[in-house]
Amino acid sequence: MMFRVRTISSPGIRISSGHDLGLMYVLHGLAGVGLIALVMMHIYFGLRPEKQPITKSMIFGWMDRDFYLEEHDPDRWAVETSSISQPSRVDDRGLHDAG
């Protein structure tokens, strides 16, 4: 933060006063604390016991059929199929099986 930075967008900004340098350090520290807090909250909300099946489905790409049927109403999400395409079936792990 104390060196002159030359980029395409800025010809080079030099902090000359101690007040500006102190403000830069404070803002940098607050941004670091905010980033750590957001990461901690993200991990906490991802690992809550009642949401573990959703977190597991994001990692592995599928969810148990029982959990899916418990959380989602299949009648609301019915897929309309035409006579040309074959409807896909979902097995116990939530994977689609064409045919």
Side-chain angles (χ1 to χ4, degrees):
M1 286 190 283
M2 296 180 70
F3 295 106
R4 188 173 187 172
V5 177
R6 295 176 195 259
T7 62
I8 295 172
S9 62
S10 70
I13 300 170
R14 185 179 291 267
I15 304 297
S16 58
S17 71
H19 180 266
D20 293 340
L21 188 62
L23 182 64
M24 187 170 28
Y25 277 117
V26 168
L27 291 177
H28 187 265
L30 289 174
V33 169
L35 177 66
I36 291 171
L38 286 173
V39 168
M40 288 173 53
M41 287 190 318
H42 197 90
I43 291 171
Y44 169 74
F45 284 114
L47 295 178
R48 289 186 307 174
E50 65 270 9
K51 301 296 182 184
Q52 280 185 352
I54 294 172
T55 304
K56 187 177 174 183
S57 71
M58 286 189 279
I59 293 170
F60 294 112
W62 57 271
M63 67 174 55
D64 293 328
R65 184 175 181 82
D66 296 333
F67 179 75
Y68 173 78
L69 293 174
E70 180 181 309
E71 293 290 319
H72 305 288
D73 184 12
D75 295 331
R76 279 187 74 190
W77 298 95
V79 178
E80 296 178 13
T81 58
S82 65
S83 60
I84 297 172
S85 66
Q86 292 287 336
S88 63
R89 292 176 292 189
V90 179
D91 64 4
D92 291 337
R93 296 188 316 170
L95 300 174
H96 292 281
D97 178 25

